[in-house]
Amino acid sequence: MIIKTKADILSSEITDRAVFEARRTLIKAAVGASLLTALPGGAAMQPKKYAEVPVGPYSAQLPVNAFEDVSRYTNYYEFSTNKTDATVLAQALTIKPWSLMVDGEVERPGVYQLEDILKANPLEQRIYRFRCVEAWSMVVPWVGFPLASMLKQFKPTSKAGFVEFTTLYNPDIMVGQRSSVLDWPYVEGLRIDEAMHPLAFMATGMYDDELPKQNGAPLRLVVPWKYGFKSIKAIVRIRFREQMPKTAWNKNAPHEYGFYANVNPDVPHPRWSQRRERVLGGGIFTPKRDTEKFNGYGEAVAPLYAGMDLAKYF
Ligand SMILES: Nc1nc2c(c(=O)[nH]1)N[C@H]1C(S)=C(S)[C@@H](COP(=O)(O)O)O[C@H]1N2
Ligand SMILES: [Mo]
């Protein structure tokens, strides 16, 4: 389906997936042999919490970025508009316990504990491309579960045409919320058929471990065929709606950020081209990568938009 070969990515740009998988194996071996405290290099090698999670059916065969690329360069405006600040500032967030409010057009509304959601949704690993609207990209091994499995457990009614997601609002901790750079709280949304697509994913972890706070712990959306701003972090509410939700970036600049936000090199951002992307981890001489329509997931998701003018519904 969306399986790409290694040749699609320059090895200078990313850590080889083989290294990631080898580390998984090494950790398992170390655990098996009780060598946790006896490894060379001083520090004891701790098993990663999710090292045993199976690779899911929709995971792409792609080399992944280094963990440092993904965890030290983030977009999290609740903390800062600066890419590196959330790495420090987000550590102040309390993520346990965490509850999710479910309401709107749904048969089982209520306040759910994340613990219970995790018990009902087995974890898997998904390696996905991730493309920010600002024309940078990365490849991330997420851990989580399909969004559809969770949504079906809430039993949406036939009136549920859209799903609205909301991030925590807590300006005491989320210091960026004291500024009016966005209309807080951050809200995102999907059409119900997009939300039910098997590629739409809820991440609770990455790189075999729990999600770092700056990457949206404890629960974030990952929609690999859409620009990164759709992949909302620290979700506290899911509301099933008849109407299309008003989303944070669309409200901020409607002519720049549409509701759909499907990755599309043919539709430029009003202020820059979307033809190419800078892959995180590369040097200044690393050539940019050609951006693919639907971020390379077109075969799987293009049918969702059959007959729609993608330049109009951008
Ligand atoms: N709540 C919230 N979610 C968010 C954002 C944000 O500022 N706040 N930034 C978005 C943008 S623009 C991108 S590119 C991705 C970045 O995810 P990452 O920081 O884990 O790479 O998160 C998205 N989700
Ligand atoms: Mo982004």
Side-chain angles (χ1 to χ4, degrees):
M1 177 178 276
I2 37 102
I3 310 302
K4 295 272 156 35
T5 61
K6 221 158 142 177
D8 288 350
I9 294 197
L10 290 174
S11 57
S12 59
E13 289 174 338
I14 53 257
T15 300
D16 196 347
R17 178 192 157 99
V19 174
F20 176 68
E21 293 301 341
R23 203 202 55 206
R24 275 191 139 192
T25 314
L26 175 66
I27 292 166
K28 281 180 200 166
V31 174
S34 304
L35 287 174
L36 288 182
T37 52
L39 285 165
M45 188 182 266
Q46 292 300 323
K48 304 269 178 168
K49 185 167 181 196
Y50 296 143
E52 302 290 334
V53 167
V55 177
Y58 293 89
S59 191
Q61 296 288 323
L62 286 172
V64 301
N65 268 86
F67 172 79
E68 289 69 25
D69 297 339
V70 182
S71 59
R72 290 184 192 162
Y73 184 94
T74 61
N75 267 335
Y76 207 165
Y77 278 28
E78 281 81 350
F79 292 97
S80 172
T81 55
N82 179 298
K83 300 277 190 275
T84 52
D85 286 352
T87 310
V88 176
L89 296 176
Q91 305 317 316
L93 192 64
T94 302
I95 55 168
K96 277 175 199 170
W98 192 267
S99 55
L100 180 70
M101 176 177 156
V102 176
D103 64 334
E105 294 296 339
V106 65
E107 283 175 28
R108 293 180 179 164
V111 176
Y112 292 80
Q113 295 306 309
L114 180 56
E115 268 181 8
D116 298 327
I117 291 175
L118 284 167
K119 278 179 205 152
N121 292 276
L123 297 177
E124 57 181 91
Q125 188 197 75
R126 293 267 181 109
I127 295 178
Y128 279 162
R129 284 192 193 287
F130 189 100
R131 169 56 157 88
C132 173
V133 74
E134 300 161 334
W136 54 266
S137 73
M138 57 192 182
V139 176
V140 184
W142 303 105
V143 172
F145 48 85
L147 175 62
S149 335
M150 180 180 74
L151 296 186
K152 283 175 193 158
Q153 289 158 8
F154 302 144
K155 296 211 177 290
T157 71
S158 58
K159 281 189 183 165
F162 295 88
V163 187
E164 178 185 281
F165 304 85
T166 306
T167 296
L168 177 69
Y169 179 72
N170 182 353
D172 290 341
I173 304 291
M174 295 178 137
V175 291
Q177 288 177 333
R178 298 176 198 171
S179 106
S180 54
V181 56
L182 285 173
D183 184 10
W184 308 110
Y186 197 105
V187 170
E188 257 310 332
L190 295 171
R191 223 170 51 193
I192 191 90
D193 56 336
E194 298 178 311
M196 292 298 181
H197 192 281
L199 285 174
F201 199 62
M202 291 303 294
T204 58
M206 65 184 210
Y207 296 85
D208 288 350
D209 220 333
E210 288 185 337
L211 216 47
K213 290 179 179 176
Q214 64 270 26
N215 292 100
L219 186 67
R220 77 171 295 174
L221 183 65
V222 181
V223 194
W225 71 94
K226 293 178 179 284
Y227 289 122
F229 66 85
K230 298 296 287 184
S231 292
I232 181 173
K233 298 177 171 182
I235 299 167
V236 293
R237 181 181 181 190
I238 291 185
R239 181 182 173 200
F240 294 87
R241 303 192 56 179
E242 225 174 322
Q243 304 297 323
M244 183 182 279
K246 293 205 184 321
T247 54
W249 279 104
N250 180 247
K251 275 195 287 184
N252 179 276
H255 55 291
E256 298 191 354
Y257 308 105
F259 174 81
Y260 285 93
N262 292 314
V263 174
N264 191 344
D266 302 332
V267 177
H269 185 279
R271 291 182 280 134
W272 58 85
S273 163
Q274 294 291 23
R275 290 242 161 258
R276 296 193 305 157
E277 62 203 46
R278 176 176 65 87
V279 181
L280 293 191
I284 49 167
F285 299 114
T286 307
K288 289 189 173 176
R289 178 175 187 276
D290 286 339
T291 292
E292 294 177 73
K293 205 163 190 168
F294 297 113
N295 204 23
Y297 297 92
E299 204 182 308
V301 301
L304 292 172
Y305 312 102
M308 272 174 68
D309 178 351
L310 295 177
K312 186 173 169 205
Y313 297 99
F314 63 92

